[in-house]
Amino acid sequence: MSDLVRRVKAAKRERTAQMWRTFRANRAAYASLYVLAAMALMALIGAFYTPYDPYRIDLSAALGFFSPAHPLGTDWLGRDMLSRIMEGARYTLGISFAAVLLGAAVGSALGLISGYYGGLLDAIIQRATDVLLAFPTILLAIALTSVLGVGILNVVLAAGIATVPIYIRLVRNLTLTLRNEPYVEAGRAMGLSGPYILFRHILPNLSYVIVVQSTYYMGITILIVSALGFLGLGVPKPIPEWGTMIGDARDYIFTYPHVVLVPGVFISAAALAFNLLGDGLRDALDPRMATLLRRT
Amino acid sequence: MSEVIIRGRHIVKEFRLGLTGRLRLRAVDGVDLEVMRGETVALVGESGSGKTTLGRILVGLLRPDRGTVTYREWGLGGRLPRHVRARLQVVFQNPDASLNPRMQVMDILAEAIRAAGDTASREEVLDRAISLLEMVGLSADHLPKYPHELSGGEKQRVAIARALAMRPEVVLADEPVSALDAIVRAQILELMYRLQEDWGLTYIFISHDLSHVWYLSDRVAIMYAGQIAEVGPTEEIFREPAHPYTAMLLTSSTSVLPYKPRLTVRPVGESPSLISPPPGCRFHPRCPYATEQCRAERPELRQIGPGRLVACIHAEKVLRS
């Protein structure tokens, strides 16, 4: 008897292990996991230790190229670029992460309700979504920051809210499909409650789409946060958020390109890594994919 | 045997189409049907004849727009008390979509067992899950499996076990074997037959395969374009169809049937649009017996023998020919 329970649990673990194997088989995705882990580590260390004070101005060392003393060079005020990248990592990555979390949570919740319950509520939510979707995400984020004002929390809000309509539409459409699945109808025939069916039968079957989409949006949101920083609408000035770094250095783009390229490379690398990670997760978490891969 | 447990009266169900919902598709149009305790009543018709919609309404999964459905002393259409809801269960056509792909057989059955209000102790749930699996010809070895690790037939057995977990009185089986291989079909039909014998289940059996209907059902309701063309004991309907459409169905059936159709009606035309159905009898454009009256008046279901109802003014002529 307890042997049977053990086998049920073993099968559950085996399924997780299988997902991990599928994920690892995608080399690019697996490698980007390391890239992102390294960046997260860098952000963590940057909070406690940087080689130089990232805010200390040393005009005698201004615009220095890569050197042993300054591995990533210095900017036009002589601030150490490596220290600034390390300091800025937790802003760029942290803000993007918080924004995606906000967008995914609010958007998915509204999408689920809208799709499952339908009716007037659905109509209201969808028309509002239509209005928001009419603007490109970046424009929406710019409009929101100009209303909310400059500040770290406001960047999170702006970038987060800007992605909400996309999540609403995505999750609603999936919910509409899933709520007519026979296993959902069977649940209704069993007298299971609406919220129970939503959380037990619908959400688990679309959560992987939310996760995958969120990793893609991490990439996009990093770009949005950077773009806001570049435009001077993002993180306020002395803070070396990566996009702000590029924006502040734009005068030197032709004369001392490394001042722009260094944060640019980090932004691109992070965005690319999240995209590749998303591809890997999609393959690993899709149950249909798992069967397909096992057959071949 | 003849105790009526589900009673449907003048059931109408419309689906709104188009942007503004101005187009209305009347899937079920004024249907009366009774289901007796312990019987199998088959709903037969072409796709789009409203048989699935009617089936769902009869077990309270869909609310009719007009008309009433009662199950014993409860009206279906609103929220049902849990113990009543449990007694009307479903088994669906597509076994791949009947089971949540993220749940193990154990979890699927445990959920149903708990929903049925049975004891929640883990050992008892496990015991009950195993006995349910054995009832449907599976074993405890299937408990750890995920749906994608099961064959189509096994999935359908699990779906049946899940329905049985609720201790139902009525099971709606919506084309339960259509998506399965031939041999598996026979096994599932046999299983359904045996379960009915053992547990006194009542089946509402939706099918378009007349040989399955012949095998499993006591009574048949032939549906055409959202209406009932003919109702009666399976044996009689197959031997002596009273509605020209029934005769056409029997004539065009590719399955092996017990009787060679005495009356052959060559299949012509297609089933009509449900958005703008033809006036009068909906079958008249395809019917060799159609007269002026058929084009003008909608025929009512009328009794032509014990337990036999037909919606055709020429039924006597059809029976005689």
Side-chain angles (χ1 to χ4, degrees):
Chain A
M1 191 57 77
S2 64
D3 169 57
L4 204 53
V5 176
R6 215 172 305 127
R7 272 165 59 202
V8 170
K9 284 186 178 145
K12 205 164 275 173
R13 276 196 304 276
E14 172 53 30
R15 185 178 163 95
T16 320
Q18 175 62 38
M19 284 179 181
W20 177 239
R21 280 196 293 274
T22 314
F23 179 78
R24 278 186 63 163
N26 183 336
R27 297 242 185 103
Y30 193 47
S32 34
L33 201 61
Y34 279 106
V35 170
L36 293 171
M39 284 198 180
L41 192 68
M42 185 177 74
L44 195 71
I45 294 173
F48 302 104
Y49 166 80
T50 50
Y52 297 84
D53 178 350
Y55 300 104
R56 206 197 66 194
I57 296 170
D58 177 7
L59 290 175
S60 65
L63 294 166
F65 195 63
F66 305 157
S67 67
H70 299 284
L72 296 179
T74 55
D75 68 4
W76 69 101
L77 291 175
R79 294 174 293 196
D80 179 50
M81 291 284 281
L82 176 64
S83 303
R84 286 179 69 73
I85 291 286
M86 286 174 74
E87 171 79 2
R90 74 170 182 278
Y91 290 97
T92 302
L93 299 178
I95 288 171
S96 305
F97 189 72
V100 167
L101 218 57
L102 174 76
V106 175
S108 304
L110 287 173
L112 270 176
I113 294 169
S114 189
Y116 189 75
Y117 290 102
L120 185 66
L121 195 65
D122 180 41
I124 293 169
I125 295 174
Q126 290 317 306
R127 293 302 77 75
T129 309
D130 284 340
V131 172
L132 293 178
L133 276 178
F135 302 100
T137 313
I138 179 75
L139 264 186
L140 198 57
I142 290 171
L144 285 166
T145 39
S146 47
V147 174
L148 296 169
V150 175
I152 293 171
L153 190 65
N154 289 344
V155 178
V156 172
L157 282 177
I161 294 172
T163 54
V164 163
I166 303 168
Y167 278 104
I168 292 182
R169 197 45 63 84
L170 176 77
V171 171
R172 171 184 180 261
N173 290 349
L174 287 167
T175 308
L176 280 181
T177 321
L178 288 177
R179 81 167 182 180
N180 289 324
E181 287 287 305
Y183 59 80
V184 171
E185 209 169 0
R188 241 174 277 150
M190 284 188 248
L192 303 177
S193 71
Y196 178 90
I197 290 176
L198 266 181
F199 281 104
R200 180 79 178 159
H201 290 289
I202 294 182
L203 190 57
N205 281 294
L206 53 77
S207 60
Y208 88 93
V209 185
I210 298 176
V211 169
V212 170
Q213 205 63 25
S214 297
T215 50
Y216 292 143
Y217 273 107
M218 264 309 281
I220 293 170
T221 307
I222 287 173
L223 298 178
I224 290 175
V225 169
S226 304
L228 289 174
F230 175 85
L231 294 171
L233 293 168
V235 177
K237 227 163 208 180
I239 297 173
E241 189 277 312
W242 297 348
T244 318
M245 284 174 75
I246 298 181
D248 288 351
R250 62 179 173 269
D251 294 344
Y252 303 93
I253 189 163
F254 295 115
T255 44
Y256 298 95
H258 74 273
V259 188
V260 174
L261 284 178
V262 168
V265 164
F266 276 89
I267 290 172
S268 315
L272 180 67
F274 272 112
N275 266 292
L276 294 174
L277 179 72
D279 282 342
L281 286 178
R282 186 197 56 214
D283 295 351
L285 296 181
D286 186 344
R288 279 161 303 177
M289 207 64 181
T291 9
L292 281 179
L293 289 175
R294 205 159 306 148
R295 271 191 209 133
T296 48
Chain B
M1 252 313 252
S2 55
E3 183 195 352
V4 174
I5 54 173
I6 294 180
R7 202 183 291 271
R9 284 273 170 273
H10 315 301
I11 301 169
V12 175
K13 181 74 189 175
E14 286 182 335
F15 294 105
R16 284 155 187 271
L17 302 175
L19 264 181
T20 53
R22 258 183 333 121
L23 291 179
R24 289 170 179 202
L25 185 149
R26 196 166 270 207
V28 177
D29 189 5
V31 165
D32 292 304
L33 192 67
E34 289 171 347
V35 179
M36 254 88 80
R37 188 162 69 90
E39 74 165 349
T40 298
V41 58
L43 304 181
V44 178
E46 290 162 273
S47 28
S49 60
K51 52 191 198 293
T52 294
T53 308
L54 178 62
R56 272 164 210 216
I57 290 171
L58 289 175
V59 296
L61 279 178
L62 265 182
R63 203 168 298 184
D65 293 322
R66 259 180 280 149
T68 56
V69 189
T70 52
Y71 164 63
R72 292 186 175 274
E73 66 263 37
W74 297 280
L76 306 182
R79 241 192 136 64
L80 286 169
R82 247 190 138 123
H83 69 282
V84 182
R85 177 65 273 166
R87 294 168 76 177
L88 306 168
Q89 288 301 304
V90 272
V91 174
F92 294 101
Q93 171 176 12
N94 183 354
D96 291 318
S98 301
L99 309 175
N100 186 336
R102 303 210 165 245
M103 287 166 79
Q104 286 168 293
V105 172
M106 177 71 221
D107 297 334
I108 291 169
L109 293 178
E111 178 176 83
I113 292 164
R114 297 214 169 89
D118 285 13
T119 44
S121 118
R122 290 189 59 167
E123 287 77 40
E124 280 167 307
V125 169
L126 190 63
D127 279 343
R128 177 112 172 95
I130 294 170
S131 76
L132 284 166
L133 283 178
E134 281 164 359
M135 262 183 232
V136 297
L138 299 175
S139 73
D141 289 334
H142 292 88
L143 284 175
K145 299 206 167 167
Y146 283 91
H148 67 79
E149 297 168 319
L150 302 173
S151 71
E154 286 171 330
K155 277 181 237 185
Q156 207 60 309
R157 285 171 195 268
V158 173
I160 293 171
R162 175 180 59 191
L164 290 179
M166 307 299 292
R167 304 183 199 281
E169 175 167 36
V170 181
V171 175
L172 168 70
D174 187 354
E175 308 219 25
V177 297
S178 303
L180 304 174
D181 292 336
I183 293 173
V184 184
R185 278 183 188 183
Q187 291 169 345
I188 297 288
L189 286 175
E190 199 189 308
L191 172 68
M192 286 181 63
Y193 184 80
R194 197 163 46 74
L195 290 171
Q196 181 169 43
E197 298 277 284
D198 292 353
W199 303 95
L201 296 172
T202 303
Y203 286 140
I204 300 171
F205 178 58
I206 298 174
S207 180
H208 57 247
D209 189 313
L210 294 173
S211 63
H212 299 162
V213 171
W214 174 257
Y215 176 79
L216 205 59
S217 65
D218 305 302
R219 283 198 310 138
V220 185
I222 307 282
M223 291 198 66
Y224 185 76
Q227 297 175 344
I228 286 185
E230 180 167 12
V231 190
T234 309
E235 166 99 36
E236 283 181 46
I237 299 246
F238 275 61
R239 198 176 55 224
E240 296 184 310
H243 195 289
Y245 177 63
T246 312
M248 186 189 277
L249 265 185
L250 291 168
T251 308
S252 53
S253 172
T254 51
S255 359
V256 182
L257 297 177
Y259 302 106
K260 211 173 160 49
R262 222 158 39 89
L263 167 71
T264 54
V265 175
R266 226 164 48 77
V268 287
E270 282 175 37
S271 20
S273 151
L274 294 175
I275 296 168
S276 52
C281 172
R282 292 194 170 174
F283 188 59
H284 83 252
R286 301 169 77 182
C287 182
Y289 294 86
T291 56
E292 219 28 69
Q293 202 187 347
C294 298
R295 283 178 261 278
E297 283 172 34
R298 172 177 166 174
E300 294 297 320
L301 260 188
R302 61 195 172 91
Q303 189 132 15
I304 54 160
R308 277 202 82 173
L309 301 164
V310 65
C312 176
I313 54 168
H314 301 301
E316 284 75 13
K317 206 154 76 186
V318 175
L319 279 172
R320 251 182 282 116
S321 54

